[in-house]
Amino acid sequence: MTAAISNRLDRSWPEQGHARVPYWVYTDPEVYRLEQERIFAGPSWSFVALACEIPNPGDFKRTDIGDRPVVVVRDDTGAITVVANRCAHRGVQFCQKDHGNTREFMCPYHQWTYDLRGNLIGVPFRRGVNKQGGMPEDFDPASHALQRLQVAERHGAIFASFDPAAPPFEQYLGASMLGYYDRVFDGRELRLLGYSRQRIPGNWKLMFENIKDPYHASLLHVFLVTFGLFRADQPSEVRMDETGRHSVLVSSRGEQKLNETTGAMKSFRQDFKLSDPRLLNPVKEFAGDATVVMQTLWPNLIIQQQSNTLAMRQMVTRGPAAFDLNWTFFGYADDSAEMTERRLRQANLMGPAGLVSIDDGEIMEFSQAGVTPYDDESGLLEMGGRDTEGVPHMVTEAAIRAFYKHYRLVMGI
Amino acid sequence: MPDIRSEIDALFVDYCAAIDDMELERWPELFCEDGLYKIISRENFDRGLPLATMLCESRRMMADRVVTMRQTQLYAPRHLRHIVGNIRVGDHGGGGEIAVRSNFLVLQTLLDRPTEIFSTGRYLDKLVRQDGRLMFSERICVFDTVIIPNSLIFPL
């Protein structure tokens, strides 16, 4: 099957390697099919839920990995199970509620029933009716469970994998990325603040490119630049794991003042002041100087820590030309009322109406529109050189190059 | 002295016109000084989750939003059209507040494509009379269209 799909992929990457991205990676349906198989259903860990979304036995949540619907559920022992949302009988998407609490899952079509670990526990008319019909004598419910995924949970976040060959989660992140992960997920109990969802009419990889690209942030985002929340003249770094698939952008907040760098930014507005400054009233809450750490975890997650706003941004693919961005905003269970209020105010920066993130959603739509008619063209990634190493500044596209280095390896293209 | 229903109707018409006619600077003026404007998904609202999609806790915060819409945010040009109906006027609360509920439908038209339904939901309002004029002390927009078609730029 894999070979058959590969053979249909009559494409070759530009000879400049990962300093170029051919535009067909954003549009080709066969590339998309191969991504589903090798990346999202491959030996990767996809974010599916925060543990605080399903705190009690029987709590469940519906979500997706790539374009495959799954259900995340907590059983009586507190253990988490992730199953494909597909009845083992005829493939019906049995769970239609987005969240809830249940004792079992029942497919409405023929009422096949599963326990909270996905085991098949009920098949109506299995022995027939009036000695007629019924399943064959050798029908074994134990071999018709729901498809169960591998599950990893670390400090309140839950990840799942379709492939049993996925390495242990900690090893998958690597020591350096695990350090950044544990900075936000330090073991404290989390508090769910709510969701935002948007459908972005662009290829999912554009989202990763965007968050791995600190170069644009100092130019596109007038709001960030003006208030010094993320800007090229501030201490910053870009770091990747050894494979290049995960990365972080790290920076520290600066002031709203005119200098040589801000003078070169058309987007810097020295005169713009908030008439109600309560919107931006960040307090330091993490060790070290960094005030923003944006971490991208292959293949579907961005962990956002910008000032006091914390969120998981989960990507769900919707074909080559669209993806859903699901934002799960959270704080800590021991946050004061003031801190919760601060996080909720700063959430104005992010999401589908975010003072900063609106720019990104729109740019991804413009990107998709721009590249779609041009299969033979490619994007240029040479800012900061042509290599894939981390650097102590933000004038680079190295993290995007590193991403495509790994992408090409996984995709075999 | 016009009756309360026609006063409410006039306020709502004015609200829609301020946004649809891109007279955005008039939008905060329809709220009192410490007025609340909140856009929240039905998903969060029904579950008691506090996260808003847009949160303005004063007329000045709304004015700041308008400045960002005009000057700092990047977005494709578009027109919105607000349709409001099913207005239900509740009881006058203590302090003279009037609770009003209504339904909204917001259509969005980008330049190079047909008009789309951008959002639908309900307004939960508290209205007060100040300086002889009816205005919002609170407007909570609870939207059913939980998956937002990319960007929410202007007020619902």
Side-chain angles (χ1 to χ4, degrees), chain B residues 48-127:
Chain B
L49 297 170
L51 182 80
T53 302
M54 190 186 290
L55 176 65
C56 298
E57 296 163 285
S58 68
R59 187 192 282 167
R60 285 173 301 137
M61 235 184 244
M62 292 176 227
D64 288 336
R65 261 283 173 182
V66 171
V67 174
T68 65
M69 291 168 208
R70 293 280 197 205
Q71 296 186 33
T72 78
Q73 294 174 4
L74 171 103
Y75 50 87
R78 67 198 63 204
H79 303 294
L80 294 189
R81 194 64 57 196
H82 287 64
I83 313 292
V84 179
N86 302 63
I87 299 170
R88 284 176 292 164
V89 181
D91 293 336
H92 293 234
E97 265 185 0
I98 310 165
V100 181
R101 291 171 171 237
S102 53
N103 291 351
F104 66 80
L105 174 67
V106 179
L107 305 168
Q108 176 168 277
T109 311
L110 280 96
L111 302 187
D112 57 356
R113 70 187 76 165
T115 298
E116 63 179 348
I117 292 174
F118 178 70
S119 192
T120 188
R122 64 203 145 119
Y123 292 130
L124 308 177
D125 299 328
K126 286 180 181 162
L127 308 181

XYZ file of all heavy atoms in Angstrom, chain B residues 48-127:
630
model
N -19.628 26.491 31.339
C -19.160 27.344 32.430
C -17.669 27.633 32.375
O -17.056 27.978 33.388
N -17.079 27.504 31.176
C -15.656 27.828 31.025
C -15.525 29.314 30.709
O -16.248 29.837 29.864
C -15.044 26.979 29.899
C -15.052 25.471 30.158
C -14.662 24.697 28.890
C -14.101 25.119 31.300
N -14.615 30.005 31.397
C -14.636 31.477 31.324
C -13.990 32.075 30.068
O -14.172 33.263 29.817
C -13.825 31.883 32.567
C -12.890 30.743 32.816
C -13.642 29.498 32.375
N -13.265 31.287 29.283
C -12.493 31.877 28.180
C -13.396 32.550 27.144
O -14.315 31.929 26.618
C -11.642 30.816 27.481
C -10.785 31.411 26.365
C -9.533 32.063 26.913
C -10.461 30.382 25.309
N -13.091 33.808 26.845
C -13.806 34.544 25.803
C -12.949 34.604 24.542
O -11.722 34.556 24.605
C -14.117 35.953 26.284
N -13.615 34.735 23.393
C -12.892 34.934 22.142
C -12.460 36.394 22.023
O -11.406 36.698 21.489
C -13.789 34.536 20.951
O -14.163 33.169 21.131
C -13.075 34.680 19.635
N -13.304 37.286 22.524
C -12.951 38.712 22.612
C -13.522 39.222 23.915
O -14.672 38.925 24.251
C -13.528 39.493 21.422
C -13.014 40.918 21.307
S -13.842 41.902 19.997
C -13.242 41.154 18.501
N -12.714 39.973 24.658
C -13.141 40.453 25.971
C -12.743 41.917 26.130
O -11.554 42.239 26.109
C -12.479 39.612 27.080
C -12.730 40.041 28.524
C -14.197 39.886 28.894
C -11.851 39.239 29.487
N -13.733 42.784 26.256
C -13.476 44.201 26.522
C -14.231 44.575 27.782
O -15.451 44.425 27.848
C -13.951 45.078 25.364
S -13.115 44.747 23.815
N -13.473 45.057 28.775
C -14.085 45.305 30.082
C -14.354 46.785 30.356
O -14.655 47.149 31.478
C -13.175 44.725 31.173
C -13.054 43.217 31.069
C -11.869 42.690 31.853
O -10.725 42.853 31.382
O -12.091 42.142 32.941
N -14.223 47.593 29.338
C -14.551 49.014 29.481
C -14.716 49.606 28.087
O -14.291 49.008 27.096
C -13.425 49.765 30.207
O -12.267 49.809 29.393
N -15.315 50.798 28.050
C -15.460 51.486 26.763
C -14.071 51.775 26.169
O -13.869 51.704 24.962
C -16.222 52.791 26.993
C -16.574 53.512 25.713
C -17.061 54.909 26.007
N -18.433 54.937 26.485
C -19.000 56.019 27.039
N -18.297 57.129 27.188
N -20.255 55.978 27.459
N -13.107 52.067 27.053
C -11.748 52.350 26.562
C -11.105 51.101 25.952
O -10.375 51.182 24.967
C -10.881 52.911 27.704
C -11.209 54.364 28.040
C -10.468 54.831 29.262
N -10.801 54.010 30.429
C -9.916 53.563 31.312
N -8.643 53.869 31.188
N -10.306 52.815 32.319
N -11.355 49.937 26.552
C -10.805 48.706 25.979
C -11.415 48.441 24.596
O -10.745 47.961 23.697
C -11.071 47.520 26.916
C -9.814 46.758 27.315
S -10.174 45.299 28.333
C -9.384 45.760 29.859
N -12.686 48.799 24.459
C -13.322 48.663 23.140
C -12.686 49.628 22.146
O -12.419 49.278 20.992
C -14.829 48.926 23.243
C -15.571 47.860 24.036
S -17.327 48.273 24.236
C -17.539 47.952 25.984
N -12.416 50.840 22.619
C -11.771 51.831 21.736
C -10.383 51.352 21.320
O -9.975 51.527 20.161
C -11.689 53.182 22.445
N -9.658 50.709 22.250
C -8.342 50.141 21.897
C -8.497 49.074 20.817
O -7.675 48.975 19.899
C -7.675 49.514 23.136
C -7.176 50.563 24.126
O -6.925 51.710 23.703
O -7.032 50.222 25.320
N -9.536 48.260 20.950
C -9.808 47.223 19.940
C -10.019 47.858 18.566
O -9.550 47.370 17.555
C -11.063 46.428 20.315
C -10.829 45.112 20.981
C -10.402 44.030 19.992
N -10.032 42.813 20.719
C -9.588 41.703 20.140
N -9.439 41.635 18.827
N -9.251 40.654 20.856
N -10.773 48.958 18.570
C -11.054 49.628 17.294
C -9.753 50.136 16.665
O -9.537 49.994 15.459
C -12.075 50.777 17.484
C -12.201 51.594 16.209
C -13.435 50.210 17.896
N -8.859 50.669 17.505
C -7.568 51.140 16.972
C -6.802 49.978 16.348
O -6.215 50.111 15.265
C -6.727 51.817 18.073
C -5.337 52.172 17.555
C -7.425 53.070 18.587
N -6.828 48.796 17.009
C -6.105 47.659 16.423
C -6.759 47.211 15.116
O -6.074 46.864 14.171
C -6.009 46.456 17.398
O -7.317 45.944 17.645
C -5.339 46.848 18.695
N -8.097 47.245 15.057
C -8.774 46.873 13.801
C -8.369 47.817 12.676
O -8.192 47.415 11.533
C -10.301 46.968 13.966
C -10.910 45.927 14.891
S -12.628 46.397 15.253
C -12.842 45.663 16.860
N -8.249 49.081 13.016
C -7.935 50.095 12.007
C -6.459 50.100 11.637
O -6.100 50.343 10.494
C -8.284 51.482 12.537
C -9.761 51.742 12.740
C -10.439 52.087 11.438
N -11.728 52.723 11.676
C -12.717 52.694 10.800
N -12.564 52.080 9.642
N -13.859 53.290 11.075
N -5.573 49.891 12.649
C -4.162 50.221 12.430
C -3.164 49.077 12.568
O -2.112 49.117 11.950
C -3.738 51.324 13.406
C -4.473 52.623 13.182
C -3.932 53.727 14.068
O -2.739 53.746 14.364
N -4.785 54.624 14.497
N -3.432 48.098 13.434
C -2.345 47.138 13.690
C -2.603 45.756 13.108
O -1.657 45.026 12.855
C -2.045 46.978 15.207
O -3.024 46.148 15.813
C -1.985 48.324 15.904
N -3.853 45.364 12.921
C -4.105 43.993 12.478
C -4.066 43.883 10.965
O -4.487 44.799 10.260
C -5.472 43.505 12.986
C -5.520 43.374 14.495
C -6.923 43.043 14.986
O -7.835 42.841 14.206
N -7.072 43.007 16.286
N -3.584 42.715 10.505
C -3.576 42.438 9.078
C -4.734 41.508 8.750
O -4.889 40.479 9.396
C -2.271 41.756 8.690
C -2.323 41.260 7.253
C -1.557 42.170 6.343
C -1.890 39.827 7.136
N -5.542 41.867 7.753
C -6.620 40.960 7.333
C -7.098 41.349 5.941
O -6.934 42.489 5.513
C -7.777 40.973 8.331
C -8.283 42.347 8.708
C -9.259 42.975 7.950
C -7.764 43.016 9.816
C -9.712 44.241 8.285
C -8.209 44.281 10.161
C -9.179 44.893 9.394
O -9.621 46.141 9.728
N -7.669 40.346 5.274
C -8.224 40.591 3.940
C -9.448 41.494 4.071
O -10.219 41.364 5.021
C -8.606 39.265 3.295
N -9.634 42.404 3.111
C -10.797 43.288 3.167
C -12.094 42.486 3.153
O -12.178 41.451 2.485
C -10.701 44.132 1.894
C -9.391 43.838 1.284
C -8.817 42.620 1.922
N -13.081 42.955 3.885
C -14.345 42.222 3.985
C -15.459 43.150 4.418
O -15.201 44.225 4.957
C -14.218 41.082 5.000
C -14.027 41.574 6.435
C -13.468 40.477 7.323
N -12.151 40.060 6.872
C -11.618 38.857 7.124
N -12.273 37.969 7.838
N -10.412 38.553 6.686
N -16.683 42.714 4.167
C -17.854 43.430 4.675
C -18.654 42.479 5.549
O -18.810 41.310 5.213
C -18.738 43.912 3.525
C -18.024 44.791 2.555
N -17.555 46.037 2.891
C -17.664 44.594 1.270
C -16.953 46.574 1.848
N -16.997 45.719 0.840
N -19.165 42.987 6.645
C -20.067 42.202 7.485
C -21.478 42.767 7.361
O -21.671 43.954 7.056
C -19.640 42.255 8.953
C -18.317 41.621 9.357
C -18.196 41.597 10.876
C -18.161 40.221 8.792
N -22.451 41.911 7.579
C -23.848 42.353 7.605
C -24.506 41.656 8.789
O -24.542 40.426 8.847
C -24.531 41.953 6.285
C -25.852 42.613 6.019
C -25.785 44.116 5.842
N -24.896 44.551 4.776
C -24.465 45.814 4.651
N -24.846 46.745 5.501
N -23.655 46.138 3.671
N -24.933 42.444 9.767
C -25.579 41.902 10.972
C -27.090 41.909 10.801
O -27.673 42.947 10.462
C -25.245 42.759 12.195
C -23.838 42.600 12.699
N -22.735 42.952 11.966
C -23.364 42.124 13.888
C -21.638 42.705 12.681
N -21.988 42.202 13.846
N -27.715 40.767 11.054
C -29.177 40.669 11.047
C -29.596 40.255 12.455
O -29.101 39.254 12.979
C -29.670 39.587 10.049
C -28.975 39.724 8.685
C -31.186 39.613 9.932
C -29.334 40.942 7.901
N -30.463 41.031 13.073
C -30.874 40.755 14.455
C -32.388 40.574 14.507
O -33.126 41.300 13.834
C -30.441 41.901 15.404
C -30.894 41.615 16.829
C -28.929 42.062 15.357
N -32.825 39.586 15.270
C -34.267 39.370 15.384
C -34.635 38.637 16.654
O -33.782 38.392 17.519
N -35.903 38.279 16.754
C -36.427 37.539 17.904
C -36.071 38.231 19.221
O -35.582 37.604 20.165
C -35.907 36.100 17.935
C -36.257 35.342 16.675
O -35.821 35.707 15.585
N -37.058 34.295 16.810
N -36.292 39.534 19.245
C -35.916 40.321 20.434
C -36.923 40.085 21.557
O -38.125 40.261 21.367
C -35.859 41.825 20.079
C -34.795 42.049 18.992
C -35.559 42.656 21.314
C -34.817 43.452 18.394
N -36.411 39.639 22.695
C -37.257 39.415 23.870
C -36.836 40.363 24.978
O -35.671 40.331 25.402
C -37.128 37.964 24.356
C -37.878 36.950 23.484
C -37.618 35.549 23.967
N -36.218 35.173 23.730
C -35.619 34.143 24.320
N -36.275 33.404 25.185
N -34.356 33.862 24.044
N -37.740 41.179 25.417
C -37.424 42.137 26.469
C -37.828 41.547 27.808
O -38.979 41.170 28.006
C -38.165 43.477 26.234
C -37.803 44.491 27.323
C -37.821 44.029 24.859
N -36.865 41.439 28.715
C -37.135 40.856 30.029
C -37.565 41.915 31.023
O -37.892 43.047 30.661
N -37.517 41.535 32.291
C -37.942 42.444 33.346
C -36.893 43.517 33.595
O -35.718 43.320 33.337
C -38.170 41.661 34.652
C -39.351 40.715 34.516
O -40.220 40.995 33.664
O -39.374 39.711 35.248
N -37.364 44.626 34.121
C -36.439 45.643 34.609
C -35.845 45.148 35.923
O -36.571 44.806 36.833
C -37.160 46.970 34.849
C -37.649 47.594 33.584
N -37.326 48.871 33.226
C -38.400 47.101 32.571
C -37.884 49.142 32.050
N -38.540 48.084 31.644
N -34.512 45.065 35.983
C -33.876 44.645 37.225
C -33.792 45.827 38.184
O -34.236 46.933 37.863
N -33.201 45.575 39.340
C -32.932 46.668 40.270
C -31.952 47.629 39.611
O -31.136 47.235 38.813
N -32.025 48.897 39.899
C -31.118 49.863 39.289
C -31.527 50.219 37.877
O -30.773 50.840 37.148
N -32.710 49.771 37.482
C -33.232 50.172 36.177
C -32.657 49.437 34.996
O -32.844 49.853 33.860
N -31.892 48.340 35.232
C -31.332 47.570 34.111
C -32.424 46.781 33.406
O -33.286 46.198 34.051
C -30.290 46.584 34.620
C -28.882 47.097 34.536
C -27.862 46.032 34.931
O -28.241 44.892 35.277
O -26.680 46.363 34.883
N -32.338 46.724 32.086
C -33.289 45.933 31.307
C -32.536 44.776 30.667
O -31.521 44.993 29.993
C -33.941 46.771 30.195
C -34.471 48.089 30.761
C -35.045 45.993 29.502
C -34.793 49.114 29.684
N -33.011 43.562 30.902
C -32.392 42.386 30.283
C -33.081 42.119 28.945
O -34.309 42.086 28.873
C -32.537 41.181 31.207
N -32.276 41.974 27.889
C -32.826 41.728 26.556
C -32.058 40.578 25.913
O -30.829 40.501 26.036
C -32.716 42.989 25.663
C -33.318 42.734 24.290
C -33.384 44.179 26.323
N -32.795 39.688 25.264
C -32.167 38.608 24.517
C -32.597 38.710 23.066
O -33.737 39.065 22.771
C -32.610 37.247 25.037
C -32.076 36.933 26.407
C -32.730 35.665 26.951
N -32.047 35.267 28.154
C -31.464 34.074 28.344
N -31.541 33.156 27.405
N -30.839 33.799 29.461
N -31.678 38.343 22.172
C -32.051 38.353 20.757
C -31.150 37.380 20.010
O -30.161 36.892 20.560
C -31.914 39.768 20.186
O -30.621 40.279 20.446
N -31.520 37.096 18.773
C -30.702 36.235 17.918
C -29.940 37.086 16.916
O -30.429 38.131 16.479
C -31.584 35.264 17.129
C -32.227 34.218 18.020
O -31.889 34.102 19.201
N -33.146 33.466 17.472
N -28.743 36.622 16.550
C -28.018 37.350 15.498
C -27.567 36.384 14.411
O -27.359 35.193 14.651
C -26.829 38.130 16.062
C -25.712 37.278 16.622
C -24.773 36.671 15.789
C -25.583 37.107 18.000
C -23.745 35.897 16.315
C -24.552 36.325 18.535
C -23.633 35.714 17.685
N -27.451 36.940 13.222
C -26.860 36.247 12.084
C -25.889 37.240 11.467
O -26.273 38.366 11.158
C -27.956 35.875 11.079
C -27.497 35.265 9.766
C -26.871 33.891 9.984
C -28.676 35.149 8.801
N -24.628 36.848 11.357
C -23.635 37.738 10.763
C -23.133 37.115 9.471
O -22.609 35.994 9.479
C -22.466 38.015 11.729
C -21.431 38.931 11.070
C -22.970 38.639 13.029
N -23.332 37.836 8.384
C -22.875 37.374 7.070
C -21.571 38.082 6.749
O -21.378 39.248 7.095
C -23.929 37.697 6.012
C -25.326 37.142 6.322
C -26.362 37.746 5.384
C -25.332 35.634 6.201
N -20.685 37.356 6.097
C -19.382 37.937 5.754
C -19.165 37.823 4.254
O -19.389 36.769 3.664
C -18.271 37.190 6.504
C -16.860 37.649 6.147
C -15.817 37.099 7.109
O -15.589 37.644 8.177
N -15.186 35.996 6.740
N -18.708 38.903 3.665
C -18.422 38.901 2.234
C -16.982 39.351 2.005
O -16.626 40.484 2.336
C -19.383 39.840 1.472
O -20.729 39.561 1.874
C -19.248 39.642 -0.031
N -16.166 38.424 1.503
C -14.824 38.807 1.067
C -14.911 39.183 -0.404
O -15.871 38.838 -1.093
C -13.819 37.679 1.332
C -13.374 37.669 2.808
C -14.185 36.698 3.622
C -11.894 37.392 2.944
N -13.907 39.886 -0.891
C -14.044 40.507 -2.209
C -14.141 39.501 -3.345
O -14.797 39.760 -4.346
C -12.868 41.457 -2.463
C -12.698 42.572 -1.426
C -11.620 43.542 -1.881
C -14.007 43.308 -1.174
N -13.474 38.335 -3.185
C -13.361 37.428 -4.330
C -14.154 36.139 -4.149
O -13.801 35.113 -4.704
C -11.883 37.104 -4.586
C -11.206 36.514 -3.361
O -11.859 36.432 -2.293
O -10.024 36.129 -3.458
N -15.199 36.176 -3.338
C -15.978 34.951 -3.154
C -17.406 35.293 -2.722
O -17.665 36.416 -2.288
C -15.303 34.036 -2.144
C -15.350 34.553 -0.728
C -14.527 33.698 0.192
N -13.114 33.984 0.010
C -12.170 33.609 0.865
N -12.492 32.891 1.915
N -10.920 33.930 0.677
N -18.300 34.303 -2.815
C -19.679 34.570 -2.430
C -19.810 34.825 -0.928
O -18.943 34.433 -0.137
C -20.406 33.266 -2.803
C -19.495 32.543 -3.722
C -18.113 32.958 -3.368
N -20.885 35.440 -0.556
C -21.177 35.706 0.849
C -21.295 34.392 1.622
O -21.839 33.413 1.122
C -22.502 36.493 0.943
O -22.311 37.739 0.270
C -22.911 36.750 2.386
N -20.758 34.380 2.858
C -20.886 33.184 3.698
C -21.549 33.566 5.025
O -21.502 34.715 5.452
C -19.511 32.567 3.982
C -18.589 33.499 4.767
C -17.222 32.901 5.087
O -17.031 31.696 4.913
O -16.346 33.672 5.525
N -22.173 32.547 5.649
C -22.644 32.755 7.022
C -21.412 32.706 7.908
O -20.729 31.686 7.983
C -23.646 31.661 7.434
C -24.925 31.820 6.620
C -23.930 31.738 8.933
C -25.936 30.710 6.851
N -21.104 33.817 8.545
C -19.887 33.868 9.355
C -20.152 33.375 10.773
O -19.362 32.631 11.341
C -19.336 35.300 9.394
C -18.107 35.425 10.247
C -16.906 34.871 9.841
C -18.162 36.076 11.474
C -15.768 34.959 10.638
C -17.028 36.165 12.282
C -15.829 35.612 11.850
N -21.280 33.780 11.328
C -21.574 33.378 12.707
C -23.055 33.556 12.998
O -23.691 34.463 12.462
C -20.755 34.223 13.693
O -20.826 33.669 14.996
N -23.545 32.697 13.855
C -24.907 32.885 14.362
C -24.932 32.528 15.841
O -24.124 31.736 16.310
C -25.938 32.054 13.560
O -27.248 32.413 13.982
C -25.750 30.559 13.778
N -25.869 33.152 16.551
C -25.948 32.907 17.991
C -26.928 33.859 18.629
O -27.884 34.288 17.984
N -26.683 34.182 19.889
C -27.624 35.078 20.578
C -26.876 36.142 21.369
O -25.750 35.922 21.825
C -28.556 34.274 21.477
C -27.854 33.564 22.613
C -28.693 32.373 23.108
N -27.790 31.311 23.494
C -27.707 30.809 24.740
N -28.509 31.217 25.683
N -26.828 29.885 25.031
N -27.543 37.269 21.494
C -27.046 38.353 22.338
C -27.750 38.276 23.691
O -28.980 38.160 23.735
C -27.386 39.721 21.733
C -26.681 40.072 20.454
C -27.408 40.527 19.354
C -25.293 40.022 20.337
C -26.783 40.909 18.177
C -24.655 40.395 19.169
C -25.398 40.841 18.084
O -24.779 41.215 16.928
N -26.984 38.355 24.750
C -27.537 38.478 26.103
C -27.138 39.865 26.601
O -25.965 40.115 26.885
C -26.962 37.392 27.021
C -27.066 35.942 26.503
C -26.396 34.975 27.467
C -28.522 35.556 26.280
N -28.103 40.756 26.664
C -27.792 42.165 26.931
C -28.346 42.646 28.262
O -29.390 42.156 28.726
C -28.411 43.060 25.842
C -27.879 42.746 24.461
O -26.699 42.351 24.361
O -28.646 42.893 23.495
N -27.651 43.623 28.807
C -28.203 44.437 29.891
C -28.130 45.882 29.429
O -27.048 46.363 29.057
C -27.421 44.234 31.185
C -27.722 42.887 31.822
C -26.962 42.654 33.091
C -27.300 41.265 33.643
N -26.279 40.816 34.617
N -29.263 46.540 29.450
C -29.334 47.916 28.970
C -29.626 48.853 30.134
O -30.347 48.492 31.065
C -30.438 48.056 27.911
C -30.399 47.061 26.747
C -31.535 47.354 25.775
C -29.064 47.108 26.030
